[in-house]
Amino acid sequence: MRRSYSKWSSIALIVAIYLFATVVGIVVYFAANRLSILDFTASAQPIIALLIADVVATIVVWAFGLLYENVSVYDPYWSVFPPVAFLLWAFYTGVWSLPVILLLIASWYWGWRLTRNWVITFKGIAHEDWRYTKYRSLHPVLFHLINFFGLNMVPTLVVFAAMLPGLKLFEPGNLVYTLSAEGGLYSVSGVVLILGFLVCLSSATIQLIADKQSHDFRAAHPGEVCNVGLWKNGRHPNYFGEIQFWWGIWIMYAALNGIDWFILGPIAMTALFLGISIPLMEQRQLANKPGYAAYRKQTRMLI
């Protein structure tokens, strides 16, 4: 049975859950990093330990979602883990190079925007996102498997994959990256690094503007299709900004390391939105808003 709390009591509860998950994750990280059974190279070992800590922290949040019968307990994880993990990683590694500082600024701005939007739209611990209630009703027998793997673990793993390029910016090879003209900010790689940083900032700004336009429109025109501002030029400017953010981090990584298999991170993130998030949202809009079919024909999906 779902417990009833006020909105701010619910937020305080979520904060407490996430603080507990953070502590558990930190303990698991240091334990996993010392396990000799994890026979990886010296550079890969900390990353694998962080992945294990991320998975365990996700399990903690998932368990509280079961306790409160609400999958939405997991919703803030997407925006909280990356900036917190990047910051803790900076303190842990002691790396405060220019690429790392830019990464921290970009990730915390992005995380603030996304968490802010969650706070604005969050209605309390008794309210579950429509996507999850849909899965509960359509797949009652398989729901707990869908919940654990599809709604909690898969997003965690996709976000972690998209974070890998950012985590690689902490490697010693990037420590010498300074503001000096020779081999630094004014080199080709330096320009691309700044470009990636600006892509990250612009993506979060696009989302911030899209949030306000959507909230204002829905308040003034409940039940109608938002087709003003950024929403006039794309059906999902918020999702576009989300996809763009992770490509921005990859651009920052590629500026210093070139193109390699780490590109799979932003590709997986793009696939998640194009294959799952956007189709689900469009189905809901088509079912609930009569004017959405015409809007869909007239407006591009993302750009």
Side-chain angles (χ1 to χ4, degrees), residues 2-297:
R2 292 180 185 171
R3 298 163 175 79
S4 179
Y5 294 89
S6 68
K7 174 175 179 173
W8 291 106
S9 295
S10 297
I11 290 176
L13 176 62
I14 296 293
V15 170
I17 291 171
Y18 276 68
L19 287 175
F20 177 67
T22 300
V23 172
V24 172
I26 290 174
V27 171
V28 168
Y29 171 79
F30 284 106
N33 205 24
R34 292 190 179 96
L35 285 178
S36 58
I37 192 173
L38 298 176
D39 188 18
F40 298 100
T41 63
S43 61
Q45 175 80 14
I47 299 293
I48 297 299
L50 181 62
L51 173 59
I52 294 172
D54 190 10
V55 168
V56 172
T58 298
I59 292 174
V60 171
V61 173
W62 164 79
F64 277 101
L66 289 183
L67 177 64
Y68 289 97
E69 298 180 3
N70 192 337
V71 184
S72 288
V73 170
Y74 176 80
D75 285 350
Y77 198 89
W78 184 289
S79 62
V80 170
F81 180 78
V84 171
F86 284 142
L87 182 61
L88 293 177
W89 205 247
F91 281 109
Y92 176 73
T93 61
V95 176
W96 298 94
S97 61
L98 177 62
V100 167
I101 292 173
L102 295 179
L103 174 67
L104 291 176
I105 293 172
S107 63
W108 276 86
Y109 177 43
W110 164 84
W112 165 80
R113 195 292 309 176
L114 193 52
T115 305
R116 172 183 178 272
N117 189 60
W118 172 79
V119 171
I120 291 173
T121 57
F122 184 60
K123 297 178 181 179
I125 197 69
H127 177 79
E128 188 173 53
D129 186 273
W130 62 270
R131 299 171 186 84
Y132 310 144
T133 57
K134 178 179 180 179
Y135 284 124
R136 282 185 189 276
S137 60
L138 291 179
H139 310 286
V141 177
L142 297 176
F143 176 73
H144 287 297
L145 286 176
I146 295 172
N147 177 18
F148 181 80
F149 291 104
L151 304 180
N152 284 261
M153 200 55 64
V154 168
T156 286
L157 296 178
V158 171
V159 169
F160 192 87
M163 286 175 60
L164 283 175
L167 291 170
K168 296 296 285 186
L169 291 176
F170 291 83
E171 290 194 342
N174 298 319
L175 283 174
V176 296
Y177 211 82
T178 66
L179 292 174
S180 64
E182 182 178 354
L185 188 61
Y186 304 103
S187 64
V188 173
S189 60
V191 172
V192 177
L193 175 73
I194 297 300
L195 174 62
F197 173 65
L198 293 177
V199 167
C200 290
L201 292 187
S202 64
S203 68
T205 302
I206 287 171
Q207 292 176 297
L208 187 64
I209 294 171
D211 290 344
K212 187 177 189 319
Q213 290 173 344
S214 176
H215 295 157
D216 291 347
F217 184 90
R218 284 185 294 176
H221 309 280
E224 296 185 21
V225 177
C226 179
N227 59 355
V228 299
L230 295 176
W231 300 86
K232 185 177 181 179
N233 300 304
R235 303 196 301 271
H236 305 281
N238 48 353
Y239 289 159
F240 170 73
E242 187 67 21
I243 293 170
Q244 179 180 301
F245 172 78
W246 295 105
W247 279 103
I249 289 183
W250 176 81
I251 291 172
M252 293 175 66
Y253 164 81
L256 307 180
N257 300 276
I259 299 175
D260 55 24
W261 68 273
F262 281 100
I263 196 174
L264 295 177
I267 288 177
M269 183 65 70
T270 304
L272 180 66
F273 278 95
L274 294 182
I276 298 178
S277 299
I278 291 177
L280 275 175
M281 180 60 73
E282 299 234 313
Q283 289 173 14
R284 177 178 172 81
Q285 296 291 67
L286 287 169
N288 295 335
K289 296 182 179 180
Y292 194 81
Y295 169 71
R296 188 183 184 191
K297 291 181 180 178

